[in-house]
Amino acid sequence: MHQPRRRDRRPAHRAGAAQHRAPASVVEVEGADVVIVGYFSGKQKDWAELMDAAARELGARGAREVGRIVQRRGVSAGGAKKMALPYSSRTLLTYGKVREAATLRARTNADAAVFVGGLTQRQYRVLTGMLGCPAVSLADALTSTVLKTS
């Protein structure tokens, strides 16, 4: 006989709830080598300008851009309805693009990967592990004098 569904013991996810940040340790922005990572919808035509602006803002804080990775959704074959959604809730990017970013980070020996968009706590943790360096959002990198790591 079919068992009745039991209550899930995990806390409910509320869409309006604030995103929690991962625990922080310190990496200096000034003098840090960073890889800039952007995720954009195919409808967003100014993605190159946004990446350039991020590089300028980080440069003004003393960071050095050593590479860029861009993931665009909806440029090639795919569902137009999904263009604004991330490829993965864990990594935001496709697995291949994460591997590409990890390879670039290792080749350039970057100190951090700065994502142009915001990241959830889970994305901070997963991307930091997969990239082998702190993964932070641009907003976090610019609002403090340190880059946050997990």
Side-chain angles (χ1 to χ4, degrees):
M1 172 148 238
H2 185 268
Q3 292 229 345
R5 184 168 183 209
R6 294 184 182 146
R7 184 183 172 306
D8 191 358
R9 288 193 172 101
R10 292 177 292 169
H13 174 71
R14 290 181 214 105
Q19 295 290 335
H20 298 284
R21 299 292 185 223
S25 63
V26 178
V27 175
E28 293 294 326
V29 171
E30 186 173 342
D33 292 336
V34 298
V35 172
I36 301 174
V37 183
Y39 174 82
F40 305 101
S41 166
K43 292 180 180 179
Q44 191 163 5
K45 303 299 181 195
D46 63 343
W47 62 271
E49 291 84 16
L50 293 172
M51 293 291 285
D52 292 340
R56 282 192 303 274
E57 291 173 2
L58 287 167
R61 294 276 183 153
R64 288 183 301 273
E65 175 192 357
V66 294
R68 290 184 185 188
I69 296 290
V70 176
Q71 175 84 64
R72 295 188 67 212
R73 174 108 192 217
V75 176
S76 59
K81 295 176 187 176
K82 296 181 179 181
M83 283 178 59
L85 300 174
Y87 278 107
S88 166
S89 61
R90 285 182 64 235
T91 64
L92 190 67
L93 312 169
T94 61
Y95 182 68
K97 197 57 79 168
V98 174
R99 280 193 329 238
E100 185 181 330
T103 301
L104 176 62
R105 199 247 12 120
R107 190 176 74 236
T108 60
N109 201 24
D111 300 313
V114 178
F115 284 74
V116 175
L119 297 173
T120 65
Q121 180 182 15
R122 182 179 186 195
Q123 290 166 342
Y124 278 114
R125 188 178 61 251
V126 170
L127 287 166
T128 294
M130 292 178 80
L131 297 175
C133 71
V136 297
S137 69
L138 178 62
D140 285 343
L142 296 177
T143 57
S144 65
T145 57
V146 295
L147 293 174
K148 295 181 180 185
T149 65
S150 60

